[in-house]
Amino acid sequence: MADEASRTAFMEIQGRMIEATGKLKQVQAQMRNKEGEKKRAFLTLEELRQMSDDTNTYKSIGRMFILEPKPVLVAEQEKKFTDSESAIASLQTSKEYLEKQMVEIENNLKELLQQDPGLARQIMSMSV
């Protein structure tokens, strides 16, 4: 009976570990995406700031370019930059939470395997 309960607990912990790992990878991918957006916005701002205010600037919309005043484009890029920064900060807190959750799940798994050495042997024999 205890052996079956241990197996059930192991399967539950394993499922939680897989789920947390997937979420962590997703958050990391989103962070990389936002970092790229932030970098593009920063580089675009740097180029726009080097131009004089009377320069014709164009905004890309699909396959079309529309004439926009420089201040409008600068404001849009600054907004993209700040939005990316705030999204990265939010994703960082999510990442930290998920990492803590992973450590907790790992500790639960270690505790379970220490309590039931027979289960640990069964798992090791399955993976070999």
Side-chain angles (χ1 to χ4, degrees):
M1 187 63 86
D3 189 38
E4 189 61 35
S6 295
R7 277 193 187 156
T8 305
F10 174 75
M11 296 297 278
E12 178 190 333
I13 292 172
Q14 185 181 28
R16 287 187 7 220
M17 177 68 93
I18 292 168
E19 181 182 339
T21 303
K23 286 181 182 178
L24 185 60
K25 286 181 181 180
Q26 183 180 18
V27 166
Q28 289 170 336
Q30 288 174 345
M31 284 182 71
R32 283 191 301 273
N33 187 15
K34 289 296 179 183
E35 285 288 345
E37 286 180 22
K38 178 182 167 184
K39 188 172 185 175
R40 275 191 300 281
F42 176 76
L43 292 173
T44 304
L45 272 171
E46 288 298 307
E47 291 298 319
L48 284 172
R49 288 185 178 136
Q50 292 175 9
M51 296 178 182
S52 64
D53 286 337
D54 61 344
T55 303
N56 287 338
T57 53
Y58 294 87
K59 178 180 177 181
S60 170
I61 299 178
R63 295 188 294 174
M64 180 170 66
F65 293 92
I66 296 178
L67 181 64
E68 287 278 352
K70 180 185 166 195
V72 171
L73 291 177
V74 169
E76 285 178 5
Q77 293 303 316
E78 287 173 345
K79 182 172 178 8
K80 282 183 185 178
F81 185 80
T82 55
D83 288 350
S84 294
E85 281 184 328
S86 63
I88 289 169
S90 172
L91 289 168
Q92 182 64 34
T93 57
S94 296
K95 180 183 171 191
E96 290 169 1
Y97 170 76
L98 288 169
E99 287 172 344
K100 287 177 187 176
Q101 197 176 30
M102 291 280 289
V103 169
E104 183 181 319
I105 292 169
E106 288 173 2
N107 289 338
N108 289 344
L109 184 59
K110 287 177 188 175
E111 184 180 316
L112 177 66
L113 294 177
Q114 286 174 351
Q115 287 176 357
D116 192 351
L119 179 63
R121 281 191 295 276
Q122 284 179 347
I123 292 169
M124 291 303 289
S125 68
M126 290 168 52
S127 62
V128 171

